[in-house]
Amino acid sequence: MSTVNAHSDTVEDVTAESEQAGSGTPEESGFRTAAEDVEAGVHAAADRARIAARRLARANRAWKDLGLQEISRNIVAKRDLVLAANAKDVAAGKEKGTSEALLDRLTLTPERIDGLAAALQMLAGLPDPVGSVARGQTLPNGLRLRQVHVPMGVVAAIYEARPNVTVDIAGLALKSGNAVLLRGGSAAENTNAVLVDIIRDSLDAVGLPADAVQSVDAYGRAGANVLMKARGKVDVLIPRGGRDLIQTVVANAAVPVIETGEGNVHIYLDHSAPVEMAVDILLNAKTQRPSVCNTVETLLVHRDAAAAGDVLAALAAAGVRLHADERVRAMLPTGVDAQPAVDDDWGREYMDLDLAVAMVDDMDEALAHIRRWTTGHTEAIITNDLANAERFIAEIDSAAVIVNASTRFTDGGELGLGAEVGISTQKMHARGPMGLRELTTTKWIVQGDGQIRI
């Protein structure tokens, strides 16, 4: 069974001094240690993870899928236990004045638990990426070459207030043959403790190594610092959270990092956008779940867009607070209000029912605005003009480009990946929603019959 009595205030504080991790009395924190003991503890967990990863690398698909199905079954069977733990975390978050956006990400419901279980079942139904051939050939000298996908090894994740990530990453790591070290933070400490215990018990029940999934939350912020510096013990580190958390990890980590980015997501409403389609897409992209990274944050309206008035009226009626430039405010429908937009609005990831709105004269201006303010996450166009759609696809340099659909589809589950570790905005091997394939690397296999190099 895992031990995850976290004591840190927020995961963003990952660079705090090690001594702060043990602040307060033992009764208050549940854990107190010297910096060297934290390092030894995290390194020992990483060593156990390495051994577990070697065992997982030999597990076939049927065995790993059995583990996924067992985790899925037990999460549902122990739903009440998970919900009770989550209620404690949510109550604590409200007491601390946690924002509504963070509380939404923190909260689990019966439906969300069912969704987590379903995602694990979906993962079990996906092909195993391990051993799949990326490319291969036989050379003129008879050497047979294959470049095959293999597990990363030990994957670490630092994230905040997102208990769903605990399940998603554990499931993806298992299917892709990796062991994972989790730092889920104090905001979700009770929920994560229960989830990690369920996952570990499920792995053990089917004969897979329980140490393939471990939490280092017991070591607090100091443990997160050790993870970032554990070069040679951790193969890749994935931060998932707000800008401060991600940039802290990127700036301080000594291990390879796959950077997941914030989502300053744009939708361009072209002059030819159909009214009904535009209203449906904008309402979904902004209001379906505003606290997540694929919600739209900026709407760019072509000056001749016939759908503009209906879209803005529908958004306002749905409770969206508009932050609009002067030209947009001048054409607002009767009864629709907006506050003047300022420069800070164009770069903000609101993660709430707020939307920045600007009017543009043409696609050139829309593209220039996106290039200036994008975080490289997701951009969308609503249009009936094929040439404009193709130009938008060609010129937008973000991880996901969407035509005539909601930005909420930039999601591992929605794109058929089963789940996601996060959404990478880098231009590395992993870009966009990271699923099974993105948690593998490759190695060359060269087979011969005695050939020597001349």
Side-chain angles (χ1 to χ4, degrees):
M1 301 286 280
S2 60
T3 304
V4 286
N5 289 320
H7 54 276
S8 61
D9 295 326
T10 63
V11 178
E12 281 104 343
D13 293 327
V14 291
T15 55
E17 293 297 322
S18 296
E19 298 91 284
Q20 290 179 304
S23 62
T25 67
E27 291 77 18
E28 290 171 338
S29 67
F31 191 86
R32 189 180 184 94
T33 184
E36 60 269 23
D37 291 333
V38 171
E39 181 176 71
V42 174
H43 284 182
D47 290 340
R48 293 193 299 271
R50 180 72 61 192
I51 295 169
R54 293 190 190 114
R55 288 183 59 192
L56 281 181
R58 301 193 301 271
N60 60 25
R61 173 183 172 175
W63 198 1
K64 292 185 290 187
D65 289 348
L66 184 63
L68 290 169
Q69 291 160 356
E70 183 73 2
I71 298 168
S72 175
R73 185 185 67 79
N74 284 326
I75 284 176
V76 173
K78 298 183 179 180
R79 184 202 317 264
D80 291 344
L81 191 62
V82 176
L83 290 174
N86 187 246
K88 292 180 183 178
D89 290 329
V90 173
K94 289 178 179 177
E95 270 189 40
K96 293 178 181 177
T98 302
S99 70
E100 287 299 320
L102 276 174
L103 284 175
D104 178 63
R105 290 200 294 271
L106 174 62
T107 302
L108 290 179
T109 63
E111 294 75 22
R112 289 181 181 180
I113 290 174
D114 287 342
L116 291 174
L120 291 168
Q121 293 289 347
M122 184 177 180
L123 276 176
L126 293 176
D128 189 342
V130 178
S132 63
V133 178
R135 53 181 166 169
Q137 62 175 317
T138 300
L139 299 180
N141 63 5
L143 285 178
R144 301 178 298 283
L145 309 182
R146 285 178 296 147
Q147 186 185 28
V148 300
H149 289 276
V150 296
M152 290 279 190
V154 177
V155 176
I158 298 176
Y159 52 102
E160 56 185 356
R162 300 165 188 251
N164 64 296
V165 173
T166 300
V167 179
D168 287 345
I169 293 184
L172 287 163
L174 172 60
K175 180 82 175 196
S176 57
N178 295 287
V180 66
L181 297 171
L182 303 171
R183 163 60 175 151
S186 62
E189 64 175 316
N190 294 293
T191 315
N192 286 336
V194 172
L195 289 171
V196 170
D197 282 346
I198 290 171
I199 292 166
R200 288 172 59 85
D201 288 347
S202 299
L203 294 176
D204 188 59
V206 299
L208 290 167
D211 284 336
V213 178
Q214 297 178 77
S215 169
V216 299
D217 277 353
Y219 301 104
R221 294 186 292 256
N225 287 332
V226 173
L227 275 184
M228 288 189 282
K229 304 295 184 183
R231 192 170 184 88
K233 292 183 177 292
V234 170
D235 294 300
V236 65
L237 172 60
I238 301 170
R240 185 169 175 182
R243 181 199 295 254
D244 291 344
L245 168 65
I246 293 167
Q247 293 309 313
T248 294
V249 172
V250 170
N252 291 281
V255 301
V257 174
I258 298 178
E259 182 177 352
T260 59
E262 60 181 316
N264 185 21
V265 173
H266 300 78
I267 291 181
Y268 171 49
L269 190 67
D270 191 31
H271 68 89
S272 64
V275 174
E276 186 175 356
M277 177 193 292
V279 169
D280 289 345
I281 289 174
L282 261 300
L283 283 176
N284 183 261
K286 184 70 251 184
T287 69
Q288 198 245 358
R289 197 175 176 193
S291 67
V292 294
C293 64
N294 56 20
T295 188
V296 62
E297 304 290 18
T298 298
L299 171 63
L300 301 175
V301 179
H302 189 283
R303 66 181 180 184
D304 297 326
D310 293 88
V311 165
L312 294 172
L315 288 167
V320 176
R321 297 173 290 271
L322 304 176
H323 304 248
D325 67 9
E326 184 176 356
R327 295 171 71 190
V328 171
R329 295 199 310 278
M331 56 77 62
L332 287 172
T334 303
V336 176
D337 296 318
Q339 62 188 74
V342 296
D343 272 355
D344 284 350
D345 288 311
W346 310 124
R348 285 190 64 183
E349 187 182 23
Y350 294 107
M351 304 188 100
D352 206 342
L353 285 174
D354 293 87
L355 182 69
V357 189
M359 184 173 288
V360 295
D361 290 328
D362 50 31
M363 183 175 282
D364 287 334
E365 191 175 343
L367 292 171
H369 182 106
I370 293 172
R371 292 189 194 107
R372 168 68 181 82
W373 298 103
T374 184
T375 55
H377 190 292
T378 300
E379 325 298 349
I381 183 174
I382 307 174
T383 184
N384 252 349
D385 188 315
L386 180 60
N388 282 351
E390 290 179 343
R391 182 184 175 196
F392 193 85
I393 291 170
E395 295 194 29
I396 289 294
D397 187 21
S398 290
V401 181
I402 296 178
V403 177
N404 292 339
S406 172
T407 58
R408 290 282 287 116
F409 285 108
T410 306
D411 174 85
E414 293 294 327
L415 297 184
L417 305 181
E420 69 180 35
V421 180
I423 296 175
S424 171
T425 53
Q426 291 178 314
K427 297 183 182 180
M428 308 292 283
H429 85 288
R431 194 180 190 197
M434 294 184 290
L436 295 171
R437 185 62 59 86
E438 286 71 31
L439 285 182
T440 66
T441 183
T442 62
K443 68 180 177 185
W444 285 95
I445 298 173
V446 182
Q447 293 177 297
D449 301 297
Q451 290 91 334
I452 61 172
R453 182 171 174 174
I454 299 173

